[in-house]
Every structure is written in C-alpha cells, then in structure tokens.
Amino acid sequence: MSKASRLELAERPRRNRKSAAIRDAVRETRVGPEHFIYPLFVHAGDDEIPIASMPGCFRHPLAGLLAEVEKAHAVGVRFIALFPAIDDALKDSTGTESYNPSGLIPRAIGAIKDRFPDVMVVTDVALDPYSSDGHDGIVTPDGRILNDETVEVLCKQAVCQAKAGADIIAPSDMMDGRVGAIREALDDAGHTEASILAYSAKYASAFYGPFRDALDSAPKSGDKKTYQMDPGNAREAIREVSLDEDEGADMVMVKPAGPYLDVIRLVRDNTELPVAAYQVSGEYAMLKAASERGWLDERKVVMESLEAIRRAGADIVLTYFARQVGEWLNG
Ligand code: PBG
C-alpha cells in the first residue's frame, strides 16, 4: 500500500483480532460446561418420549435419566435441574403429590446422587406439574391464585426435596415471600446446607410454550400474569431480586435469558449474589427449528446465544444445549 493511501491512525483495534491466538487471549467472556445447569424431564413410565417442540429433548424414564446424566457428566456438566411429568391421576388442586417422599422427584434425586454423588441436583419448587389447574399456586373456584396458602405447600415440597438429597432448591413459582419461608422451613428441618436458587425475575413469557407441552402443565384456565412479571418491566426485577436477597436466596435468576439480556445486566449490576439465567424452551425451539431447516448454523448460533447471556452478566446458564455444548467443546 502506498504511503499516500495510509490512514494515520493512533489506534487500530483490529490488531487485537489478527490471529486466533490473540483473539483467544483477549476474549472477555467464556462459555463452558462448568457454567451450565442442564434441565431434564423425567416421567414414571419406561419409555423415552420425544418432545415434539424440543427436538433432542425427551421425557426420560428413570433409567434414561441416569444415562443422560452420565453422558452430560462425562463432558463436564455438573448441575442437573429436574422437572417431572406427573400422571394426571396424581394431580389435585393443592398439589399434594409435590411433597410425597416416595414421589418421582425424590426417587430421581436419590438415583442420581447414588450414582453421581458429585453432580449437583437442582429441583424446581412450584405446583404446576402437580396441579390439576396447571398453575404454580393454588387456584380458588373464581380463578384467583392464593399466595400464602401456596407458600405453605411450597415449603413442604422444598423440605421433601432436600430430604431426598437435592443440593439446590429452586423456587420458580413467583409467590411473594416464598424464599424466606422456604429458608426457614429448610433450616427448621435441619437442611441448613441446602442452597436456594430463586427464580427472582421470572417473566410471564410465551417462550415457555414448549416446556408446558413437555410436561403437559399448561394452565387449564387464565394465565400466569398475576404472579410472573410483565415483560415490559425492568426496574421491578431489581425489587424482586432485593427481596429474595433479603429473604436468604443464595443465587438469583432471570428468565427467559436471550430476550431479557438487559434485565440480566441490570440484575448483575444490582446484586452481589451469583446470577443465573434460563435459556428457556422457546429459545431452544427457535434455534433448533431454524438450524434443522438449514437456515442457521446450529453450533455457531448456540455458542453465540450462550456467549451473549454470559456477556450480559450471567454466571450460570440453564440450557437444554448443555450436553451438546460439552460434547462440542470436548470433541
Ligand atoms: C414452572 C416452570 C416453567 C419453566 C420452568 N419452571 C414454566 C412456567 O412457568 O410456566 C419454563 C422453562 C422453559 O420454558 O424452558 N414453574
């Protein structure tokens, strides 16, 4: 290049991108299996049941669940979040099956901890998989969701999970005061070591659609807008997070993740606690569907979506891609 055509630039940021070695050395955000919580669905039957709107995800029988945990563990995934598909016959209006000590979740926790003692088991606290109404809380005949009565049941559910060996209790129900009540119930039952990962800023999102198909847990009537947050709100996330912090949460969560990166950043900047973000079923479904059609490069968009969530400030990411990413990075 002739001297005349050379720009006199004091700074040339491209120098820090000129080789893979430099790019790797200066990368600000890293994504690896150590950051992941892997959500898995379990049911009481014997078959692997594919979930149509979540290609590659299944309702696992207990044996299949263990096989999946083994594969994920082998590539460095150390956290599993369990979600149960409960037989309709066991559902009722107050979710009594949610604290059955020999129920599906306690059995699944026991089986995982037996075989993989170092895998951290995260359990969901909410009534929707157990509720004949498909809501996270108890519903009155005129359609209201009862807060305090629900919290009482959630405490029993949390203690039941901790007793079965859950390492991290994750209330996703969005009732007021449940983190404090659950902390007290766990401590009173001697489970001071059980952590609480609070779904603090959980939005009333249409991106949960495939998950509700997976568990057959969609609300029978109404929606979840009186307890889950309005997608238009960000400041309110700070309020929810600081309440959960005061009530004893060990970690807080923003959910969904990709469409709420601003909220992840806001929460990151307003709490000292570790922040988790949930790349939910609808985010997974979108990436899968476009990749299956050849419209997007699956590996590249999955990695980029996870990098974006981490860059926004998430320490931990719940993702259905956890095992897949572990395999890519180990392959
Ligand atoms: C239920 C629960 C939901 C999800 C996690 N826990 C659904 C809901 O709130 O309706 C959604 C996860 C996903 O979409 O991947 N308390």
Side-chain angles (χ1 to χ4, degrees), residues 123-159:
T123 48
D124 198 69
V125 174
L127 300 188
D128 50 331
Y130 307 95
S131 150
S132 43
D133 299 301
H135 274 285
D136 293 29
I138 300 170
V139 187
T140 63
D142 61 343
R144 285 175 305 121
I145 310 292
L146 296 174
N147 193 87
D148 301 13
E149 292 80 351
T150 298
V151 170
E152 253 178 66
V153 183
L154 299 176
C155 288
K156 293 186 198 168
Q157 185 183 12
V159 170

Side-chain angles (χ1 to χ4, degrees), residues 287 297-306 321 325 328:
L287 294 172
D297 178 321
E298 180 172 3
R299 179 168 176 170
K300 287 181 181 159
V301 287
V302 167
M303 292 310 296
E304 188 175 333
S305 70
L306 295 167
F321 291 112
V325 171
W328 285 333

Side-chain angles (χ1 to χ4, degrees), residues 181-260:
I182 289 171
R183 182 70 272 162
E184 193 181 333
L186 289 171
D187 290 352
D188 286 351
H191 298 294
T192 53
E193 80 298 346
S195 312
I196 297 180
L197 164 57
Y199 285 68
S200 301
K202 176 173 177 180
Y203 286 85
S205 172
F207 286 99
Y208 308 150
F211 175 97
R212 293 178 189 169
D213 294 344
L215 296 187
D216 208 3
S217 65
K220 296 286 182 290
S221 68
D223 52 42
K224 299 194 176 185
K225 290 180 185 171
T226 68
Y227 45 107
Q228 299 180 346
M229 284 176 54
D230 185 330
N233 293 354
R235 290 191 306 267
E236 192 183 8
I238 303 177
R239 184 176 187 213
E240 286 284 2
V241 164
S242 47
L243 284 169
D244 287 351
E245 203 168 346
D246 291 347
E247 290 177 32
D250 298 286
M251 306 172 180
V252 293
M253 195 195 301
V254 175
K255 175 184 174 189
Y260 293 81

Side-chain angles (χ1 to χ4, degrees), residues 43-63:
H43 75 131
D46 296 322
D47 301 324
E48 292 286 351
I49 303 177
I51 300 164
S53 50
M54 300 177 73
C57 294
F58 298 84
R59 281 187 195 181
H60 296 288
L62 263 185

Side-chain angles (χ1 to χ4, degrees), residues 4-323:
S5 68
R6 198 177 69 214
L7 297 172
E8 293 198 2
L9 297 180
E11 307 233 19
R12 290 183 182 267
R14 287 186 55 197
R15 282 196 284 263
N16 282 347
R17 298 175 209 135
K18 72 184 169 191
S19 71
I22 293 184
R23 291 192 295 273
D24 286 351
V26 303
R27 183 166 302 123
E28 297 171 36
T29 305
R30 285 173 204 283
V31 176
E34 69 272 27
H35 303 122
F36 296 153
I37 295 178
Y38 188 19
L40 290 172
F41 304 108
V42 59
H43 75 131
D46 296 322
D47 301 324
E48 292 286 351
I49 303 177
I51 300 164
S53 50
M54 300 177 73
C57 294
F58 298 84
R59 281 187 195 181
H60 296 288
L62 263 185
L65 177 75
L66 292 175
E68 185 61 28
V69 173
E70 182 166 26
K71 286 190 239 167
H73 186 241
V75 293
V77 176
R78 291 184 287 188
F79 294 82
I80 302 294
L82 293 175
F83 294 97
I86 300 294
D87 291 338
D88 276 341
L90 297 173
K91 297 184 185 183
D92 61 24
S93 61
T94 56
T96 44
E97 179 64 14
S98 67
Y99 51 90
N100 174 1
S102 43
L104 179 59
I105 285 293
R107 280 184 277 133
I109 299 168
I112 295 176
K113 295 301 290 187
D114 256 7
R115 270 239 349 248
F116 309 99
D118 62 321
V119 166
M120 296 282 100
V121 176
V122 182
T123 48
D124 198 69
V125 174
L127 300 188
D128 50 331
Y130 307 95
S131 150
S132 43
D133 299 301
H135 274 285
D136 293 29
I138 300 170
V139 187
T140 63
D142 61 343
R144 285 175 305 121
I145 310 292
L146 296 174
N147 193 87
D148 301 13
E149 292 80 351
T150 298
V151 170
E152 253 178 66
V153 183
L154 299 176
C155 288
K156 293 186 198 168
Q157 185 183 12
V159 170
C160 170
Q161 294 170 347
K163 233 177 228 158
D167 300 286
I168 301 180
I169 306 293
S172 71
D173 55 285
M174 289 297 280
M175 296 301 122
D176 291 334
R178 90 284 205 213
V179 170
I182 289 171
R183 182 70 272 162
E184 193 181 333
L186 289 171
D187 290 352
D188 286 351
H191 298 294
T192 53
E193 80 298 346
S195 312
I196 297 180
L197 164 57
Y199 285 68
S200 301
K202 176 173 177 180
Y203 286 85
S205 172
F207 286 99
Y208 308 150
F211 175 97
R212 293 178 189 169
D213 294 344
L215 296 187
D216 208 3
S217 65
K220 296 286 182 290
S221 68
D223 52 42
K224 299 194 176 185
K225 290 180 185 171
T226 68
Y227 45 107
Q228 299 180 346
M229 284 176 54
D230 185 330
N233 293 354
R235 290 191 306 267
E236 192 183 8
I238 303 177
R239 184 176 187 213
E240 286 284 2
V241 164
S242 47
L243 284 169
D244 287 351
E245 203 168 346
D246 291 347
E247 290 177 32
D250 298 286
M251 306 172 180
V252 293
M253 195 195 301
V254 175
K255 175 184 174 189
Y260 293 81
L261 296 180
D262 57 325
V263 179
I264 296 173
R265 169 50 53 193
L266 193 63
V267 166
R268 172 67 290 154
D269 290 343
N270 282 279
T271 180
E272 308 297 318
L273 295 178
V275 175
Y278 199 143
Q279 183 180 52
V280 300
S281 56
E283 299 176 72
Y284 176 86
M286 289 194 300
L287 294 172
K288 273 288 185 189
S291 304
E292 280 184 353
R293 292 185 171 205
W295 290 354
L296 291 172
D297 178 321
E298 180 172 3
R299 179 168 176 170
K300 287 181 181 159
V301 287
V302 167
M303 292 310 296
E304 188 175 333
S305 70
L306 295 167
E307 252 160 29
I309 293 164
R310 292 262 307 137
R311 188 192 64 235
D315 302 290
I316 298 166
V317 186
L318 290 91
T319 176
Y320 300 98
F321 291 112
R323 169 168 68 85

